[in-house]
Amino acid sequence: MQGRLFIPAFGVARVVWFLVDTGADFTSLHPRDSDALAIKFGSLGDPIQLAGIGGAQTYYLADSILTFDEGVRLRNYRLSLRIALPGQHNRLLPSLLGRDLLQHWRMVYDPTGQRLEFTVRRSDSTLQV
């Protein structure tokens, strides 16, 4: 799923493709996207350790805004983004949409129709375009 990510602390914005991950507690940015945003890890504060199926990873927190374009409106979400410390082990991992964001949507998966559909229940702000 495509969203526009804005990280105010760095003044950067970029379209990012996210993998929907209902098993991830939090939305996270992985190296192939953080490299493109030129994230300066030295200015992000203290790292945190998070564990998942792939093992423990080191992340930094960054206040962010994630926007999704619905054609007639933009849906905006404020979140504390987890930014993975780059390494060979995570270089190719996709960035993930986690339950911190997914909890605001209704999701329907139809494997027969090959569709994954979302209905917004709540967003932090909505702009009509």
Side-chain angles (χ1 to χ4, degrees), residues 37-112:
L37 286 163
I39 298 297
K40 296 170 183 63
F41 286 87
S43 61
L44 283 173
D46 294 329
I48 60 172
Q49 294 291 313
L50 297 174
I53 290 176
Q57 301 281 331
T58 301
Y59 290 88
Y60 291 84
L61 302 178
D63 291 332
S64 304
I65 299 168
L66 189 50
T67 300
F68 296 94
D69 186 342
E70 294 181 340
V72 296
R73 68 183 65 86
L74 299 173
R75 300 287 190 160
N76 303 298
Y77 301 88
R78 289 184 307 272
L79 62 139
S80 181
L81 183 69
R82 274 59 177 173
I83 304 176
L85 182 65
Q88 291 305 317
H89 64 288
N90 63 4
R91 180 75 37 211
L92 300 178
L93 293 178
S95 294
L96 303 175
L97 276 183
R99 289 192 314 270
D100 59 336
L101 192 131
L102 296 173
Q103 70 181 344
H104 303 297
W105 301 345
R106 179 174 183 262
M107 182 172 61
V108 176
Y109 173 55
D110 175 10
T112 306

